């Protein structure tokens, strides 16, 4: 009997990403319009800005640009979160980072499931920002007990998905037919359901506590609430969205527009108001808004020093604004951001010199043609043009930005008084493992690129 080889987890992730995109395009027609706008914008940037095209070709990011996506889901129990971790592990995705959104009035804490090595990210950079509802923040004991009882009765995974997860763990992987079945079954967890699992009155009670609590508790599963493509010019997409029948949120979350982008910038269109049927209704009479369209532009990953500077400048702009960014103060907020971020170097040389960002280093043709090199420093190789530095793309998320996106789609009635309730220990206990420090991943990628340069140039570096 011929034993079928295992399919690479990276390829399973790539297939799953496409299946999710196909499903979401059918469920949310505006997503298709958004994708067309992003694709056209990216083509225009690559045609009109050769420096950006050169950088993307140099780093290999051009090959992953069209398939770059991140999704977002919210679950209600520790068991759901732990099982999701097992499901994502089949696709080579691990929990990276811990995000506490309670200071912005969103009763969840989160992680991002993604690939962790640059080679795996090249095959498929698909990520899922996954949030766990903080049930302990529900103030009314009766509402808390009801929410717990509803969540305890549901199963968000198909039996076949659970079987395939267990099989992959025992066997060490999935063969071709098993991988195909796994993708089909896994997608079912994230599908939208038009029927709620509660009555109309119960839905209103949950919603009165917080709109997001109703979104998590009142449905059969953690429907994907956005699937985000990567654009090379988010300001142009924001400007063009109304011309395509899409209403964007008031401000772009994250850093201001720069020549050398950093971290992550995000915008979205408002959540759809979708018809749903409650358990005490014969027909679809209610409505719920949860799913929206989001776009992102990714820039350089920042070191701890760079992140501290980013946080200081962001906080200074927001403190001076004196309010959450919104439609009424968007112009002033953008001006304040530009003003304060003038302190942050806006070029590769400045960021590298001050140690603000992580980079990938590549041996140049000049370096490979040079002879007689035995020992050198990285700085000397950069100065002589034997090695070039390209910013390492930020693969993760920003809690303030994530909260801003959530809030813009939850409405003005969302609670905003949770304060500081970070509890990483409880989250990781529910997850069943520790989350991975994203900064360590960037540092490791940077170090590998330095070592590869040394190997290609056949030299000994005096200091790494």
């Amino acid at each position: 009997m011929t034993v079928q080889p295992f399919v690479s987890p990276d390829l399973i992730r790539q297939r799953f990403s496409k299946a999710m995109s196909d499903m979401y395009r059918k469920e949310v027609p505006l997503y298709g319009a958004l994708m067309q706008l992003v694709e056209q914008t990216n083509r225009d940037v690559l045609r009109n800005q050769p420096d950006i095209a050169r950088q993307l070709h140099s780093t290999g990011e051009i090959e992953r640009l069209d398939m770059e996506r991140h999704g977002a889901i919210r679950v209600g129990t520790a068991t759901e979160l732990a099982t999701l971790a097992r499901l994502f592990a089949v696709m080579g995705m691990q929990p990276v980072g811990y995000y506490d959104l309670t200071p912005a009035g969103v009763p969840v804490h989160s992680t991002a499931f993604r690939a962790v090595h640059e080679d795996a990210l090249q095959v498929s950079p698909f990520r899922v920002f996954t949030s766990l509802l903080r049930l302990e923040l529900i103030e009314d004991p009766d509402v808390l007990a009801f929410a717990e009882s509803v969540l305890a009765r549901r199963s968000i995974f198909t039996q076949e998905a659970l079987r395939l997860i267990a099989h992959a763990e025992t066997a060490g992987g999935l063969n071709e037919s098993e991988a195909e079945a796994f993708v089909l079954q896994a997608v079912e967890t994230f599908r939208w359901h038009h029927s709620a699992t509660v009555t109309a009155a119960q839905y209103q009670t949950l919603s009165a506590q917080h709109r997001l609590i109703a979104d998590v508790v009142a449905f059969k599963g953690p429907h994907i609430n956005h699937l985000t493509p990567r654009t090379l010019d988010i300001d142009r997409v924001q400007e063009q969205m109304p011309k395509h029948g899409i209403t964007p949120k008031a401000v772009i979350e994250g850093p201001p527009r720069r020549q050398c982008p950093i971290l992550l910038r995000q915008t979205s269109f408002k959540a759809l108001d979708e018809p749903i049927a409650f358990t005490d209704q014969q027909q679809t009479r209610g409505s719920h808004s949860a799913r929206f369209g989001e776009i992102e532009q990714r820039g350089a990953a920042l070191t701890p020093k760079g992140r501290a500077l980013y946080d200081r400048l962001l906080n200074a702009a927001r403190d001076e604004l004196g309010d959450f960014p919104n439609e009424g103060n968007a112009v002033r907020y953008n001006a304040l951001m530009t003003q304060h971020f003038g302190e942050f170097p806006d070029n590769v040389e400045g960021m590298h010199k001050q140690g603000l960002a992580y980079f990938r280093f590549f041996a140049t043709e000049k370096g490979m043609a040079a002879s007689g090199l035995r020992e050198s420093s990285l700085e000397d190789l950069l100065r002589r043009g034997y090695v070039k530095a390209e910013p390492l793309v930020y693969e993760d998320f920003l809690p303030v930005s994530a909260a801003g996106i959530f809030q813009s789609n939850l409405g003005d009635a969302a609670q905003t008084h949770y304060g500081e309730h970070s509890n990483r220990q409880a989250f990781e206990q529910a997850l069943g493992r520790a989350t991975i420090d994203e900064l360590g991943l960037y540092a490791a990628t940077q170090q590998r690129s330095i070592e590869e340069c040394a190997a290609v140039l056949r030299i000994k570096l005096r200091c790494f």
Side-chain angles (χ1 to χ4, degrees):
M1 183 179 69
T2 302
V3 178
Q4 290 186 333
F6 291 144
V7 178
S8 162
D10 297 333
L11 292 178
I12 298 177
R13 182 173 68 256
Q14 187 183 80
R15 296 177 189 181
F16 179 77
S17 174
K18 184 180 184 306
M20 288 284 285
S21 186
D22 291 343
M23 179 187 75
Y24 202 66
R25 189 183 292 262
K26 292 177 182 177
E27 291 184 348
V28 183
L30 272 181
Y31 171 70
L34 190 66
M35 286 301 304
Q36 291 177 358
L37 175 56
V38 169
E39 289 164 1
Q40 181 60 56
T41 299
N42 288 349
R43 284 194 296 268
D44 292 343
V45 170
L46 293 172
R47 182 177 62 251
N48 298 325
Q49 300 185 50
D51 286 346
I52 293 179
R54 177 203 55 77
Q55 180 187 350
L56 293 176
H57 280 285
S58 176
T59 61
E61 289 176 61
I62 193 71
E63 298 170 6
R64 60 181 253 189
L65 181 62
D66 289 343
M67 59 181 174
E68 189 129 7
R69 301 284 187 279
H70 95 249
I73 59 171
R74 307 154 184 165
V75 294
T77 68
T79 299
E80 291 176 350
L81 180 66
T83 307
L84 274 176
R86 295 171 59 211
L87 180 145
F88 288 131
V90 176
M91 298 182 272
M93 302 166 71
Q94 299 186 50
V96 178
Y98 170 77
Y99 305 89
D100 175 29
L101 274 61
T102 55
V106 184
V108 301
H109 46 185
S110 316
T111 192
F113 287 97
R114 67 168 178 90
V116 298
H117 193 282
E118 58 270 21
D119 292 343
L121 287 162
Q122 281 296 98
V123 178
S124 173
F126 183 63
R127 320 164 185 85
V128 180
F129 190 81
T130 303
S131 300
L132 175 64
L133 181 63
R134 302 285 300 276
L135 286 169
E136 74 275 13
L137 297 180
I138 296 178
E139 298 171 344
D140 187 317
D142 293 334
V143 176
L144 172 60
F146 174 71
E148 290 176 330
S149 68
V150 173
L151 291 171
R153 291 195 299 269
R154 77 177 186 180
S155 176
I156 66 174
F157 306 96
T158 69
Q159 289 302 307
E160 182 64 4
L162 294 173
R163 186 191 73 79
L164 287 166
I165 292 170
H167 175 69
E169 293 169 338
T170 302
L174 300 176
N175 64 30
E176 180 62 40
S177 60
E178 292 164 346
E180 182 179 354
F182 171 81
V183 170
L184 290 175
Q185 294 297 319
V187 165
E188 290 303 310
T189 295
F190 308 96
R191 193 177 297 280
W192 171 252
H193 299 281
H194 289 284
S195 298
T197 58
V198 298
T199 68
Q202 290 166 340
Y203 174 87
Q204 290 301 324
T205 298
L206 292 169
S207 188
Q209 286 289 307
H210 197 290
R211 290 270 300 280
L212 188 141
I213 294 173
D215 180 62
V216 175
V217 175
F219 294 90
K220 297 177 182 178
H223 38 259
I224 190 98
N225 54 62
H226 62 266
L227 202 58
T228 304
R230 177 182 174 185
T231 182
L232 299 175
D233 189 344
I234 198 168
D235 297 277
R236 178 168 175 77
V237 174
Q238 177 92 341
E239 175 189 322
Q240 292 292 316
M241 282 168 69
K243 300 176 183 178
H244 291 75
I246 305 170
T247 303
K249 69 186 298 295
V251 299
I252 295 172
E253 299 287 345
R257 184 181 183 93
R258 292 165 44 91
Q259 292 297 314
C260 190
I262 57 172
L263 295 175
L264 178 66
R265 305 182 71 206
Q266 296 173 290
T267 189
S268 69
F269 64 74
K270 292 187 176 181
L272 306 174
D273 195 31
E274 302 183 84
I276 57 171
F278 297 108
T279 56
D280 58 342
Q281 297 174 333
Q282 297 299 315
Q283 301 178 19
T284 301
R285 296 178 181 174
S287 66
H288 177 71
S289 59
R291 300 188 299 167
F292 54 92
E294 184 180 77
I295 316 97
E296 65 186 20
Q297 181 175 355
R298 292 189 173 268
L302 300 185
T303 62
K305 180 181 179 181
R307 206 38 207 275
L309 177 58
Y310 169 80
D311 289 341
R312 177 169 66 79
L313 299 177
L314 175 67
N315 290 335
R318 289 194 168 223
D319 288 346
E320 189 170 344
L321 185 69
D323 193 6
F324 287 108
N326 55 58
E327 189 172 356
N329 60 27
V331 173
R332 182 165 183 262
Y333 176 69
N334 290 333
L336 287 171
M337 288 289 285
T338 299
Q339 172 190 330
H340 284 279
F341 272 83
E343 184 179 337
F344 203 113
D346 197 8
N347 53 67
V348 168
E349 294 76 19
M351 290 196 297
H352 179 255
K353 184 177 181 179
Q354 295 188 32
L356 300 176
Y358 292 104
F359 296 87
R360 287 183 69 186
F361 298 95
F362 300 87
T364 64
E365 291 184 5
K366 181 179 179 181
M368 289 184 283
S371 59
L373 290 174
R374 290 187 178 87
E375 186 175 339
S376 185
S377 68
L378 178 62
E379 296 304 321
D380 185 53
L381 293 173
L382 285 166
R383 182 181 58 80
R384 298 167 71 179
Y386 292 170
V387 166
K388 64 179 179 180
E390 298 286 4
L392 185 58
V393 66
Y394 186 64
E395 306 285 353
D396 296 288
F397 300 91
L398 301 172
V400 172
S401 295
I405 293 286
F406 276 25
Q407 286 285 18
S408 69
N409 287 285
L410 290 170
D412 296 333
Q415 286 181 316
T416 57
H417 61 267
Y418 290 116
E420 293 285 350
H421 284 281
S422 180
N423 195 338
R424 183 173 190 154
Q425 182 178 1
F427 182 85
E428 293 182 337
Q429 183 177 359
L431 182 66
R433 58 166 292 181
T435 55
I436 298 172
D437 173 27
E438 64 273 22
L439 298 183
L441 295 177
Y442 297 124
T445 297
Q446 177 174 273
Q447 180 65 23
R448 281 191 291 268
S449 76
I450 294 172
E451 294 170 354
E452 288 168 6
C453 286
V456 169
L457 298 177
R458 298 181 181 179
I459 64 170
K460 180 181 179 180
L461 287 178
R462 285 195 293 268
C463 61
F464 279 34

